[in-house]
Amino acid sequence: MPENLLTKEVTFNQDRLEAIIGDIMAEARSQGASASEAAISIESGLSVIVRMGSVETIEHNRDKGLGVTVYFGHRKGTASTSDFSPAAIKQAVQAACTIARYTAEDDCAGLADANMMAMNIPDLDLCYPWQLDAETAITLAEECEAHARATDQRITNSEGATVASHQGFRVYGNSHGFCGGYATTRHSVSCAVIAQDDNGMQRDYWYSVARDRNELESPAAIGRRAAQRSVKRLGGRRLVTQQAPVIFAADIAGSLLSHFIRAISGGSLYRHASFLEGQIGKQSFPGFVHIYENPHLKKALGSAPFDSEGVATRERDLVSNGIIESYVLDSYAARKLGMETTGNAGGVHNLLIDAGGYNLTALLREMGKGLLVTELMGMGVNTVTGDYSRGAAGYWIEHGEIAYPVEEITIAGNLRDMFMHIQAIGNDIDLRGNIRTGSILIDGITIAGT
Amino acid sequence: MILSPAGIVEGDLQDVLSHIMIHAVDDADLYFQLSHFESWSLEDGIVKEGVHNLEQGVGVRAISGDKTGFAYSDEIVLPALNQAATAARAIARSGQQGIVKSWSGAGGHDLYVPQDPLVTLQDKDKIALLEALDAEARRIDPRVKQVMVSLAASQDVVLIAASDGTLAADIRPLVRLNVSVIAEQDGRREQGTAGGGGRVSYQYFLEGNRGTDYAHEAVRQALVNLEAVNAPAGTMKVVLGPGWPGVLLHEAIGHGLEGDFNRKGTSAFSGRIGQKVATDLCTVVDDGTLADRRGSLNVDDEGVPTQCTVLIENGILRGYMQDKLSARLMGMKPTGNGRRESYAHLPMPRMTNTYMLAGESDPGEIISAVDHGLYAVNFGGGQVDITSGKFVFSASEAYLIENGKVTRPVRGATLIGNGPDVLTRVTMVGNDLELDTGVGTCGKEGQSVPVGVGQPTLLVEGLTVGGTSPFSQGA
């Protein structure tokens, strides 16, 4: 069984990586550090692109990296390197120690508290190696792109289909004596094609990503979906400037939740750089909104048994009945705020929002007339003020159905109002990322066009 | 500098390339990189963080027709190099011995001092600089509540050896200083950010009080934004200030003129060379040869000397930016725009410093020519859909123009337009060309590279402004 062999290899590598972590801790101690922490990641993979029926690139990835942070009391220094030789490790620790001589005393700096470390490390089922060779990847990518190009005669060009498989290990340890690691895999198939008519060209894409290749959508289905999405955008019109309800399609609605997470993250809060500062315990969404984190979902893309400080991750509510229950904190921000870490050093792990009873079709009917946004452009989101203004493309909806595609418009509002004006959350949940949401209907957004 | 510690000599590089060319490969190249990086950051009045990174590796590429095989290793030793070469050459069948040409000097420029910027200031003086800028920002105005300052430097040493005889090396310094402040008034908070840098030493920030100027600029922006009213929504006349607003050109024009998209026919500009895409007033270039600039390179990442490429001349589309692959497949010449984020990434056509040449109008005249519109002087980032040509860029400091005068500041808003026709609505071009201060980073297919932009003051007769406030002409 090749998979068993690989499991052995996983264990072997993990042991070796844990030994390196031990060496780093010892080196830091010998250079006088009072505490230290280190993380190592190694990753290998293959990525193949087929374009217009023939191979465009075959890329072999092999990456590794090591990062160490040392503390001299409350002074801190960090260094990283891609070289794992004893000499390079010594040099990295030395660089970190040199930096710590110059950084300032900061009461809040230090490892996460020892009692917060993950006591046991659950197996979250995140590693499903795929012995993918270039030949197989090419065949799958060819199949995917061929289906895309055969879907509609208006598909005239292609950016290609990509098949990729990556496997990695991550190990983290610190001078509390914590050391843990886990292996992950990530496989994906994606396709981007170009549709053309008298009005011009439109590009769109579709992709599937999973820990386990058996959970990938079929290449043919991905290709067809990419083609349908591109063709559907042909003949995009502009809109007259107006206020209207907007549905954020499930695959882009996660961005709204990521803005929310950014605004309730420790770094934004202790810097007084968030429009949601002081909003804990307050109504920030309509009463039906429930947002929570579930870091231990088996096989999920955002799962992690511990955060990047070794703190145990756990399931918890961020918003219930529309009220903010908890912030997103690492140990540093928690100390700055006089709170406790929430196990979010490095971010959230599987953010979920409860869906209502509507699928997208029903959501469009519920909206009646308004805008369905399927693409957002640019970075016009200000976390300090909540001001939101982004480029958009999608479809104008009349009588609950798509009337025509639209492009070259912006949508704008303030996130504080936008969150309060959420009308419904669809059950068409997109499972392909760390944030899982259905489509979101929001009232009263300003659309700028002609 | 890169090879000698590993005991590799130039002859070995010929051998590795020959090993690749045993397969039916048209071109092969090796890209050796040794880079180190540091950054220091201050907030709450103290320098809390310092980071040091050391990275090295070699990327091996084999090209057959329009197919590319690519592998890399973070160990610069011969066995790893040969292993990567074997993986990369698998793109083509074996049984043909291509010729590896003997090395020929690539030329290349001498645009910056080949120094290690990390050591151009003592660590204690880096700390002192950050602390001084923090104190200065807080001194200017009591409404400044938070100051964040970051200082970073890197040195990249690269060596490129290719089967076409290219053997080129470059030592690339890069420094960057950034000041970001949050000001508060009556419970309202706004931020301001300013910074700069280039392929220079840390001393650059001490010369002429540059660092202090960034602190003043960041505070000024934050205070302006405290007074800002809602931005207008709709299509209107927009005056873009000089310098960094040139991100317009980067998004609307630049990406669409990169060779790969045009070779594949996926750009809204595909097949349009020789056509009119802008008013006569517009001449846009991409110039990698400006001394000390963030976007400049002595040679690109394929060993080709950079150049000044005319993209649009008096409104006519003249040329694309090329790497070796797209240039060969399109029957054109490489333009020194083949760039990659690191040895672990494939090169592709990328911009260097992209800007519009100065026109003849006085900037004051341009503003007085507008009855009602927007005057946008500072921007965050932008983005473009190459295929449809739609692009956005987000204003972070903008004002209303009413009856030919700049009046109230407005909140940040995204501007959206269509690349292939936006420059056909440029009706006035200022005589005040400026390049940005050295802050740009461009992302493409997951790869980031430092770039520059610039332009004089421009009047665009119709751009869509994504504010929230109703806008009526003459209201």
Side-chain angles (χ1 to χ4, degrees):
Chain A
M1 295 287 289
E3 294 209 340
N4 282 342
L5 278 177
L6 241 132
T7 313
K8 265 182 207 154
E9 197 192 337
V10 168
T11 320
F12 168 75
N13 276 309
Q14 189 165 326
D15 287 347
R16 191 166 155 239
L17 297 179
E18 289 187 6
I20 295 174
I21 296 268
D23 293 345
I24 296 169
M25 304 285 105
E27 182 61 39
R29 227 175 7 253
S30 81
Q31 293 194 29
S34 55
S36 62
E37 58 189 326
I40 298 180
S41 68
I42 63 174
E43 192 182 87
S44 61
L46 174 71
S47 170
V48 167
I49 303 176
V50 167
R51 178 176 174 271
M52 298 304 275
S54 69
V55 180
E56 186 173 74
T57 58
I58 299 177
E59 212 173 314
H60 300 268
N61 306 110
R62 266 179 57 183
D63 296 287
K64 65 187 206 292
L66 166 167
V68 54
T69 298
V70 299
Y71 298 91
F72 286 74
H74 292 293
R75 301 159 86 106
K76 172 185 177 185
T78 300
S80 58
T81 176
S82 57
D83 185 348
F84 288 10
S85 70
I89 288 172
K90 189 171 180 137
Q91 200 183 350
V93 172
Q94 225 153 28
C97 291
T98 304
I99 288 166
R101 272 202 285 281
Y102 294 98
T103 51
E105 195 74 31
D106 181 355
D107 287 347
C108 297
L111 302 177
D113 295 344
N115 63 357
M116 303 298 286
M117 297 296 113
M119 296 297 283
N120 46 36
I121 294 163
D123 178 3
L124 301 178
D125 236 359
L126 305 178
C127 189
Y128 285 81
W130 179 7
Q131 299 302 306
L132 179 67
D133 57 41
E135 286 301 312
T136 313
I138 291 166
T139 307
L140 292 171
E142 280 171 351
E143 184 191 346
C144 180
E145 200 210 26
H147 276 87
R149 294 174 66 204
T151 296
D152 193 296
Q153 59 188 15
R154 288 168 291 180
I155 299 295
T156 56
N157 202 343
S158 168
E159 285 188 359
T162 304
V163 173
S165 172
H166 288 91
Q167 179 172 358
F169 313 97
R170 196 191 120 68
V171 180
Y172 168 85
N174 61 34
S175 53
H176 288 321
F178 176 87
C179 193
Y182 54 94
T184 57
T185 49
R186 190 181 172 92
H187 317 295
S188 64
V189 179
S190 64
C191 185
V193 287
I194 288 163
Q196 187 164 20
D197 69 2
D198 296 341
N199 299 306
M201 296 192 291
Q202 293 288 346
R203 166 203 184 271
D204 214 320
Y205 64 95
W206 194 245
Y207 70 97
S208 178
V209 56
R211 299 278 186 205
D212 179 352
R213 72 180 163 106
N214 295 312
E215 291 176 8
L216 289 172
E217 270 181 75
S218 80
I222 292 161
R224 274 196 298 271
R225 187 89 182 257
Q228 287 158 358
R229 284 166 63 93
S230 297
V231 168
K232 222 167 134 185
R233 292 176 66 152
L234 286 170
R237 307 183 205 170
R238 306 191 61 201
L239 290 172
V240 172
T241 301
Q242 60 189 293
Q243 275 217 344
V246 170
I247 292 172
F248 293 81
D251 57 322
I252 53 143
S255 65
L256 291 172
L257 294 180
S258 72
H259 305 325
F260 168 66
I261 292 304
R262 176 128 193 247
I264 62 162
S265 288
S268 303
L269 294 167
Y270 81 74
R271 293 185 181 104
H272 307 293
S274 167
F275 68 99
L276 290 177
E277 185 180 355
Q279 291 298 303
I280 201 160
K282 296 199 179 137
Q283 193 85 40
S284 297
F285 292 87
F288 64 86
V289 172
H290 178 210
I291 301 173
Y292 56 106
E293 192 187 4
N294 192 345
H296 294 183
L297 280 178
K298 297 271 180 180
K299 286 181 137 176
L301 290 162
S303 294
F306 53 85
D307 76 356
S308 55
E309 296 181 305
V311 173
T313 51
R314 61 195 158 87
E315 187 172 355
R316 68 201 185 89
D317 282 345
L318 295 174
V319 173
S320 58
N321 303 318
I323 294 168
I324 298 177
E325 299 281 331
S326 172
Y327 292 146
V328 171
L329 306 175
D330 59 14
S331 67
Y332 180 79
R335 285 182 199 124
K336 291 289 282 184
L337 295 167
M339 301 174 94
E340 201 162 73
T341 175
T342 56
N344 289 113
V348 290
H349 303 102
N350 298 324
L351 190 77
L352 296 93
I353 183 166
D354 276 351
Y358 295 119
N359 61 20
L360 181 59
T361 310
L363 210 56
L364 294 176
R365 237 176 267 132
E366 168 72 14
M367 179 170 74
K369 185 174 172 181
L371 177 66
L372 168 64
V373 172
T374 54
E375 183 174 283
L376 289 166
M377 290 177 79
M379 290 154 282
V381 181
N382 184 332
T383 307
V384 177
T385 59
D387 289 338
Y388 182 97
S389 168
R390 298 188 73 185
Y395 302 90
W396 185 247
I397 306 299
E398 274 173 17
H399 312 296
E401 282 174 16
I402 289 177
Y404 49 85
V406 294
E407 61 180 1
E408 205 182 334
I409 54 168
T410 61
I411 56 171
N414 187 280
L415 284 171
R416 197 195 299 253
D417 304 326
M418 288 164 66
F419 291 156
M420 277 308 292
H421 290 161
I422 291 178
Q423 305 293 307
I425 297 153
N427 59 17
D428 53 335
I429 298 164
D430 187 342
L431 299 175
R432 296 174 300 176
N434 186 31
I435 297 178
R436 296 181 168 191
T437 177
S439 298
I440 298 180
L441 167 59
I442 301 182
D443 218 358
I445 305 244
T446 303
I447 300 168
T450 58
Chain B
M1 195 160 174
I2 297 181
L3 302 182
S4 44
I8 299 175
V9 295
E10 278 182 19
D12 293 330
L13 305 185
Q14 291 271 355
D15 292 346
V16 175
L17 290 169
S18 298
H19 173 68
I20 300 171
M21 303 289 275
I22 290 169
H23 286 220
V25 162
D26 296 316
D27 285 302
D29 66 3
L30 312 175
Y31 181 87
F32 295 87
Q33 185 185 19
L34 183 61
S35 75
H36 63 150
F37 164 87
E38 71 167 7
S39 74
W40 299 88
S41 50
L42 170 145
E43 65 177 24
D44 295 331
I46 56 173
V47 176
K48 289 180 176 177
E49 302 238 15
V51 175
H52 184 268
N53 176 260
L54 194 63
E55 204 162 346
Q56 59 173 39
V58 54
V60 181
R61 177 170 66 146
I63 298 176
S64 170
D66 58 359
K67 302 175 176 21
T68 300
F70 180 54
Y72 56 88
S73 167
D74 52 21
E75 290 167 47
I76 300 181
V77 292
L78 261 185
L81 192 53
N82 281 317
Q83 197 187 346
T86 303
R89 74 177 184 187
I91 193 72
R93 288 179 203 292
S94 59
Q96 178 186 328
Q97 180 61 62
I99 294 163
V100 180
K101 292 190 186 154
S102 53
W103 307 131
S104 58
H109 311 286
D110 190 8
L111 302 172
Y112 30 83
V113 180
Q115 60 196 332
D116 177 3
L118 282 73
V119 300
T120 56
L121 198 60
Q122 291 195 347
D123 287 345
K124 67 175 172 52
D125 295 329
K126 296 170 194 166
I127 305 291
L129 172 62
L130 295 182
E131 289 175 347
L133 298 184
D134 173 72
E136 179 65 10
R138 290 174 193 275
R139 188 193 62 78
I140 298 168
D141 197 292
R143 287 171 289 178
V144 172
K145 298 298 178 200
Q146 178 66 266
V147 180
M148 285 158 278
V149 191
S150 63
L151 179 70
S154 64
Q155 187 203 36
D156 249 336
V157 182
V158 302
L159 174 72
I160 302 125
S163 59
D164 64 3
T166 302
L167 182 66
D170 197 9
I171 296 175
R172 302 166 175 170
L174 190 64
V175 298
R176 172 82 197 269
L177 173 64
N178 196 70
V179 182
S180 184
V181 308
I182 293 176
E184 185 179 326
Q185 174 177 285
D186 303 329
R188 177 171 171 182
R189 289 198 195 98
E190 293 285 350
Q191 63 190 343
T193 297
R199 299 201 177 278
V200 291
S201 81
Y202 277 136
Q203 297 297 327
Y204 177 79
F205 300 121
L206 303 174
E207 291 159 9
N209 289 323
R210 258 195 202 94
T212 316
D213 290 346
Y214 299 154
H216 282 254
E217 173 61 14
V219 172
R220 188 194 61 76
Q221 276 180 35
L223 298 181
V224 164
N225 283 330
L226 279 177
E227 310 295 332
V229 298
N230 285 340
T235 300
M236 62 196 74
K237 292 183 180 180
V238 175
V239 176
L240 297 167
W244 178 244
V247 68
L248 161 84
L249 305 170
H250 179 99
E251 303 297 352
I253 306 296
H255 279 297
L257 299 180
E258 288 167 341
D260 47 354
F261 300 124
N262 289 282
R263 164 169 64 89
K264 297 173 189 175
T266 59
S267 165
F269 286 98
S270 299
R272 298 190 60 176
I273 284 195
Q275 291 183 16
K276 185 116 171 125
V277 296
T279 56
D280 297 349
L281 303 169
C282 300
T283 294
V284 181
V285 301
D286 182 83
D287 189 351
T289 68
L290 302 172
D292 296 338
R293 283 273 154 194
R294 183 172 165 88
S296 298
L297 296 170
N298 289 324
V299 290
D300 73 2
D301 292 324
E302 298 183 304
V304 178
T306 53
Q307 63 182 52
C308 178
T309 306
V310 176
L311 304 177
I312 293 171
E313 186 179 20
N314 301 324
I316 308 291
L317 181 58
R318 288 296 180 206
Y320 300 129
M321 289 165 280
Q322 298 286 11
D323 62 1
K324 284 182 180 176
L325 172 64
S326 286
R328 176 170 56 81
L329 293 169
M330 292 176 82
M332 293 178 169
K333 283 210 161 67
T335 56
N337 290 91
R339 302 185 64 187
R340 62 205 295 175
E341 180 179 307
S342 78
Y343 69 87
H345 299 85
L346 274 170
M348 55 182 146
R350 302 294 296 263
M351 283 172 262
T352 59
N353 304 295
T354 312
Y355 59 94
M356 184 185 288
L357 303 192
E360 289 172 357
S361 299
D362 175 75
E365 271 171 44
I366 297 178
I367 287 165
S368 32
V370 176
D371 278 348
H372 290 271
L374 189 80
Y375 177 47
V377 296
N378 260 304
F379 282 86
Q383 191 183 335
V384 61
D385 177 331
I386 299 298
T387 304
S388 72
K390 305 300 177 274
F391 70 94
V392 295
F393 57 136
S394 298
S396 57
E397 182 188 351
Y399 303 83
L400 292 177
I401 304 176
E402 296 169 296
N403 301 315
K405 291 201 166 54
V406 174
T407 59
R408 289 165 293 171
V410 296
R411 290 171 176 272
T414 288
L415 277 59
I416 191 163
N418 183 38
D421 68 34
V422 66
L423 294 191
T424 64
R425 291 199 298 275
V426 171
T427 53
M428 294 179 90
V429 175
N431 55 15
D432 56 342
L433 168 65
E434 275 180 34
L435 298 179
D436 75 287
T437 56
V439 294
T441 297
C442 168
K444 176 177 171 183
E445 292 170 27
Q447 292 194 43
S448 293
V449 296
V451 295
V453 298
Q455 67 176 30
T457 298
L458 297 183
L459 170 58
V460 187
E461 288 284 342
L463 257 181
T464 301
V465 179
T468 54
S469 182
F471 177 81
S472 52
Q473 293 279 347

